Amino acid sequence: MARSSLYRERQVSDLLPPLRDVIARHGLSASKALGQNFLFDEQLLARIAATPGDLKNRAVLEVGPGPGGLTRALLRAGARVTAIEMDRRCMPALAELATAFPGQLRVVEGDALTIDHNALMGEPYAVVANLPYNVGTALLVRWLGGEAWPPQWTSLTLMFQQEVAQRIVAQPDTPAYGRLAVLAQWRSTARLAMKVHRSAFTPPPKVMSAIVHLEPAAMPEGVPAGMLERLTAAAFGQRRKMLRQSLKSVAGALEALEVAKIDPQRRAETLSVAEFCAVVRHLSRLAR
Ligand code: SAM
């Protein structure tokens, strides 16, 4: 980076008031209903923003910027940020940030669960978000779903409760392994990037958190996403039962197990992601 531009970036960031002052000035008391737990530690926020790699000039979608702590870190990394925030009270603080980083920040007031992210972004984008806990899993399932692959997003860097993060990266034959692990790993790579202590948040939540980083990977051939979703929902809906029982409701599933040479006495949590894909591949062929 040229010296003058580095100097300009430092100057801009140094002009920003401390986040606690922003919150006090705009009366942004944390709302429990909106899942608001704010991060103030600028070093931690910079580490989160660095997780997807170099963001210079890249389009980034942030969900739930709140007073803008993570947003600042993304802007300092040179990203072009679109931030969706539901809480109208945060708009003046975010407008100040947009002024401090001209042309780099677009704020959309609304519910991230109902907005079409691909249409909003209109180009490939990285998602980076300290998600509200109550909507995090719903958004993740939506980003991971759909038949079209690779998706328009190039990576997901997301904060979850640690227990949910462990379910996303879990391996077979472990208590955390389930539907979320299969959906996250069958055509993406998913890794736990860092743990975040509850004391880093204001107010501190009851549980520990962790950042998960996902990137799209090659999609296995002949595996329709909707069919995989239905099969894993049935299999893990009764995870203590043998597959021959839990998959009874899925037409053709027992036959597909046989073709894939998977013992129907096994339980869902013992099947690898590749084995789930093999069953669905046969199921899809049988359905034709
Ligand atoms: N990014 C900030 C930080 O790291 O300090 C705030 C994170 S806070 C855990 C979650 C934020 O998401 C809040 O600002 C909340 O208002 C916002 N939010 C909650 N539900 C939302 C939704 N459905 N769509 C968009 N934003 C939402």
Side-chain angles (χ1 to χ4, degrees):
M1 187 189 303
R3 224 182 194 171
S4 58
S5 116
L6 186 67
Y7 181 64
R8 193 188 69 81
E9 276 189 23
R10 287 221 179 108
Q11 269 200 324
V12 167
S13 59
D14 289 346
L15 289 176
L16 295 173
L19 280 160
R20 286 182 197 278
D21 292 0
V22 173
I23 286 184
R25 190 156 42 83
H26 293 287
L28 300 176
S29 53
S31 149
K32 210 173 175 183
L34 285 170
Q36 290 180 338
N37 301 95
F38 302 133
L39 289 172
F40 296 136
D41 180 341
E42 308 245 356
Q43 275 185 6
L44 171 66
L45 291 162
R47 275 175 61 211
I48 298 171
T51 303
D54 186 6
L55 289 180
K56 190 102 198 137
N57 281 325
R58 276 175 64 192
V60 170
L61 172 66
E62 185 191 0
V63 177
L70 182 54
T71 322
R72 286 176 176 204
L74 294 166
L75 294 167
R76 283 174 183 154
R80 291 179 288 115
V81 180
T82 298
I84 306 175
E85 173 57 60
M86 223 176 162
D87 186 353
R88 175 161 293 177
R89 298 177 308 154
C90 298
M91 294 303 133
L94 294 169
E96 286 175 8
L97 212 45
T99 307
F101 292 87
Q104 261 185 269
L105 174 62
R106 173 171 60 143
V107 181
V108 177
E109 186 184 333
D111 181 350
L113 285 169
T114 60
I115 288 173
D116 179 341
H117 302 156
N118 290 349
L120 177 69
M121 299 303 288
E123 62 180 321
Y125 56 97
V127 179
V128 185
N130 173 12
L131 293 167
Y133 290 141
N134 46 354
V135 298
T137 313
L139 281 173
L140 177 68
V141 169
R142 184 173 138 192
W143 282 318
L144 294 174
E147 300 297 338
W149 205 261
Q152 198 172 313
W153 54 265
T154 53
S155 65
L156 305 173
T157 304
L158 310 170
M159 181 87 76
F160 287 101
Q161 298 181 36
Q162 195 168 298
E163 178 252 323
V164 177
Q166 272 154 355
R167 283 202 273 135
I168 295 167
V169 301
Q171 294 302 304
D173 265 328
T174 62
Y177 185 68
R179 190 174 154 256
L180 210 47
V182 179
L183 296 185
Q185 296 173 32
W186 77 284
R187 53 180 179 177
S188 305
T189 56
R191 67 179 171 88
L192 210 148
M194 73 178 89
K195 293 184 178 175
V196 183
H197 197 273
R198 49 187 289 279
S199 62
F201 297 87
T202 302
K206 288 201 178 75
V207 292
M208 304 293 252
S209 297
I211 295 279
V212 177
H213 182 74
L214 300 106
E215 287 181 14
M219 178 160 162
E221 256 175 63
V223 181
M227 212 173 249
L228 181 72
E229 278 167 31
R230 282 193 295 283
L231 189 89
T232 49
F236 288 107
Q238 303 179 62
R239 61 182 295 140
R240 297 268 150 242
K241 299 247 168 81
M242 292 179 194
L243 291 167
R244 69 167 182 228
Q245 177 64 32
S246 58
L247 294 184
K248 245 184 193 164
S249 60
V250 182
L254 299 185
E255 209 181 329
L257 276 181
E258 201 181 323
V259 186
K261 297 191 171 36
I262 291 171
D263 183 351
Q265 300 206 48
R266 286 172 64 184
R267 285 179 293 144
E269 64 197 26
T270 71
L271 260 64
S272 67
V273 174
E275 285 178 312
F276 271 109
C277 289
V279 177
V280 173
R281 195 173 292 117
H282 293 303
L283 192 57
S284 160
R285 274 196 208 128
L286 290 168
R288 267 187 233 139

